[in-house]
Amino acid sequence: RQAGDKAEILALTINLSNIHDDQGDYGPALQLLGDAQTLAQEINDKAQLTTCQIYMGSVRRRLGDSAGAQTALQEAQRLAREINNAPLLAEALADHAALHLQLGQKGRAVSVARDALTQAQSAHDHRLILLARLQAGEASQSVRDLREVLDKATSSGLAPIAAAAHLSLARVHL
């Protein structure tokens, strides 16, 4: 196959893994991400390799595989720093903050979410800024911050972040 063909197959494989992830089919999602990781390595696409690691970390976090999630997210952060990609680093850090929250490490979650916010702001990425603020708001139990994220996500048409903000608000109120 040509490198361009492999790059196209890589992008499609990652997208297909996201569909499985969204449907809760984590086994097929992980298999596809493994395939995508192999393709990314073959064509030396470090940005897509970083994306694979972020998504692997996210899926493993949802499966309760904290160690696997930690490993994947640390590798994603290392790669994002290596290629100097602030948006990918922000996304990896935001997901890592979510992992710390899941593990009950609220102080660490706040710190990592603030790092994610710094990276997202440097990238001028509105979605990632809201995602990082969401993680920081939940970790610090800030109803005010979570409501602000909810309002901005809703007005920006970022329904998944708005839904996550609703869930975070519910968890804070428990």
Side-chain angles (χ1 to χ4, degrees):
R1 289 183 221 161
Q2 301 281 339
D5 291 342
K6 286 185 179 183
E8 191 171 316
I9 291 168
L10 171 60
L12 291 170
T13 302
I14 291 171
N15 288 337
L16 185 56
S17 78
N18 284 336
I19 292 169
H20 283 285
D21 182 26
D22 289 344
Q23 294 175 344
D25 295 331
Y26 301 127
L30 285 174
Q31 178 64 48
L32 287 163
L33 287 169
D35 295 345
Q37 181 177 347
T38 299
L39 272 173
Q41 289 167 333
E42 282 179 23
I43 63 173
N44 196 31
D45 188 332
K46 289 189 178 180
Q48 290 287 46
L49 184 57
T50 305
T51 298
C52 289
Q53 291 296 322
I54 292 167
Y55 293 167
M56 280 186 168
S58 180
V59 172
R60 291 195 180 286
R61 178 177 51 82
R62 281 192 276 290
L63 283 169
D65 177 7
S66 301
Q70 178 88 354
T71 299
L73 293 169
Q74 286 175 335
E75 178 63 7
Q77 290 168 51
R78 185 191 69 73
L79 287 165
R81 284 185 175 97
E82 182 180 305
I83 62 174
N84 197 29
N85 189 312
L88 287 175
L89 182 54
E91 191 157 355
L93 288 165
D95 216 314
H96 210 168
L99 175 62
H100 287 298
L101 267 175
Q102 187 173 314
L103 296 172
Q105 302 166 347
K106 291 183 181 178
R108 185 73 182 125
V110 169
S111 175
V112 173
R114 285 184 183 144
D115 290 346
L117 182 57
T118 298
Q119 292 299 319
Q121 288 170 330
S122 75
H124 306 287
D125 189 313
H126 182 66
R127 181 188 70 84
L128 290 173
I129 289 169
L130 290 177
L131 187 60
R133 290 184 65 210
L134 172 73
Q135 299 301 338
E138 184 171 347
S140 63
Q141 304 281 294
S142 173
V143 172
R144 181 182 57 87
D145 289 348
L146 290 171
R147 285 198 175 138
E148 190 173 314
V149 168
L150 173 61
D151 292 344
K152 288 185 178 190
T154 300
S155 68
S156 301
L158 295 169
I161 294 177
H166 277 292
L167 289 172
S168 292
L169 280 164
R171 283 191 289 265
V172 167
H173 284 298
L174 290 179

